[in-house]
Amino acid sequence: PLFHDMKDIESKIINCLSDIKAWMTRNHLCLNSTKTEAIIIKQKNDYNTSGLHSIKANYNGETIEPAASSVKSLGVYFDQYLCFDDHVNTVIQACNMHLRNLRVIGNKLSFDLKKQLIHCLIFSRLDYCNGLLYGLPAQVLKKLQKVQNSCVKFLFGSRIKKFDHVTPFLKEAHFLPIRERIDFKIALNTFKCMNNTAPEYLRNCIEVKQQPPKILRTELDYFLLEVPPVANYQRTYRGFKYAAPHVWNVLPYDIRTENNVSRFKTKLKTYLFKKAFD
């Protein structure tokens, strides 16, 4: 097996919790040991980590064991395979609940008010931490796209017939599809890293591409990111270190060189909108 000494792993978990508690204490926060959870991130059919489920770390008199399915952190459910199935299902359930409540009073609302409520109650949940969903299979993102399609049907009401395609109405409402909304979040975080407004741990994930010594001045582009080497695991490509160059380097030059965040958002949304519907 890959892991031989369980005691060593348990001690590392305790040391990690001690460091977290020390950081929280310095920032006037409190670590609740009774609500602390742990999870083992692994690949499917990875038998080398099967013994890790027997780990039991004692911290402040509380026994911390790896969770069986998923753990919740800052409103996001992390499962052991990083498939985010539990998180996606939870988001869909919450959005459908709000959508059912809106349908009750839908005939009494104006078009603009419907659109505002959709943004506040539903799109805010679809966009929350959606950068973590980058690179997920199409069948997973399709579930979230169905929620957005239901919002469009609620917005336009009787204008959409039973067998009408939703895409023209999605374009008319000027809603970015789910996949483009994820790319928007990745590009926006990359923009903040390039302009030194993002956290340091995020800025350290990317690096500006080095230009070759012999190149024409007209061909210089100092706003491209270095693409990391090939990863060992397919799941690694979903990380920000790989996602940022993939999304950022294909943007037009005038968007990558923008230094105002408001104008950058406007140009980025216009670009992604045309890419999705044209």
Side-chain angles (χ1 to χ4, degrees):
L2 181 62
F3 301 99
H4 299 277
D5 191 358
M6 294 297 177
K7 294 295 183 182
D8 180 59
I9 299 175
E10 292 173 2
S11 63
K12 289 182 179 180
I13 294 176
I14 295 175
N15 293 336
C16 180
L17 290 173
S18 300
D19 293 339
I20 294 174
K21 183 179 180 180
W23 178 88
M24 296 181 72
T25 302
R26 290 195 302 269
N27 290 272
H28 309 288
L29 300 172
C30 180
L31 178 63
N32 192 340
S33 303
T34 59
K35 294 184 178 180
T36 302
E37 297 177 298
I39 190 170
I40 299 171
I41 305 299
K42 62 179 184 178
Q43 287 188 317
K44 293 182 178 180
N45 302 324
D46 188 358
Y47 301 103
N48 290 328
T49 59
S50 59
L52 291 178
H53 291 284
S54 61
I55 291 178
K56 292 184 180 181
N58 293 316
Y59 183 75
N60 284 356
E62 299 291 338
T63 301
I64 300 175
E65 301 181 33
S69 56
S70 62
V71 296
K72 184 179 180 181
S73 177
L74 298 176
V76 180
Y77 288 89
F78 292 85
D79 58 89
Q80 57 186 349
Y81 303 120
L82 293 182
C83 298
F84 292 100
D85 290 334
D86 293 342
H87 176 68
V88 170
N89 293 333
T90 302
V91 171
I92 292 174
Q93 184 179 3
C95 292
N96 287 334
M97 180 195 68
H98 287 297
L99 199 54
R100 283 194 300 269
N101 294 335
L102 289 176
R103 287 196 182 102
V104 177
I105 58 174
N107 57 352
K108 299 178 177 61
L109 303 175
S110 64
F111 181 87
D112 292 335
L113 187 54
K114 283 182 180 180
K115 194 172 183 179
Q116 185 177 357
L117 289 173
I118 288 173
H119 278 288
C120 293
L121 299 177
I122 299 176
F123 284 3
S124 60
R125 292 182 177 270
L126 293 177
D127 293 339
Y128 179 71
C129 292
N130 61 344
L132 295 172
L133 307 180
Y134 178 85
L136 287 181
Q139 60 266 24
V140 178
L141 299 182
K142 188 176 180 180
K143 297 178 182 178
L144 298 173
Q145 187 60 54
K146 287 182 178 180
V147 175
Q148 192 181 45
N149 294 345
S150 299
C151 293
V152 173
K153 293 179 180 179
F154 164 75
L155 179 63
F156 287 95
S158 58
R159 284 186 54 188
I160 302 181
K161 305 304 179 183
K162 184 176 181 181
F163 297 103
D164 286 348
H165 207 281
V166 180
T167 302
F169 296 94
L170 194 67
K171 182 178 180 180
E172 183 178 345
H174 215 266
F175 290 161
L176 280 178
I178 295 298
R179 190 177 295 276
E180 279 68 29
R181 299 179 86 91
I182 295 174
D183 290 345
F184 183 92
K185 183 65 68 67
I186 296 293
L188 180 59
N189 287 334
T190 307
F191 170 83
K192 293 180 179 179
C193 291
M194 298 286 285
N195 290 270
N196 294 324
T197 57
E200 183 178 0
Y201 71 88
L202 209 57
R203 298 199 305 266
N204 293 336
C205 293
I206 62 174
E207 182 180 354
V208 178
K209 185 177 182 180
Q210 299 295 328
Q211 299 295 330
K214 295 183 180 180
I215 189 172
L216 295 177
R217 184 176 299 177
T218 57
E219 298 178 359
L220 289 175
D221 190 346
Y222 295 102
F223 296 89
L224 291 175
L225 297 180
E226 195 74 43
V227 179
V230 179
N232 295 328
Y233 301 101
Q234 185 67 28
R235 187 175 59 195
T236 308
Y237 289 105
R238 290 166 44 196
F240 183 74
K241 182 177 181 179
Y242 288 86
H246 179 76
V247 175
W248 181 262
N249 290 348
V250 298
L251 296 178
Y253 183 78
D254 65 307
I255 298 179
R256 289 185 281 111
T257 54
E258 182 61 63
N259 57 7
N260 181 273
V261 63
S262 298
R263 292 196 297 267
F264 175 81
K265 288 181 180 179
T266 302
K267 292 181 179 180
L268 179 61
K269 183 178 180 181
T270 302
Y271 167 76
L272 293 176
F273 189 82
K274 291 180 179 179
K275 178 182 176 183
F277 295 107
D278 293 348

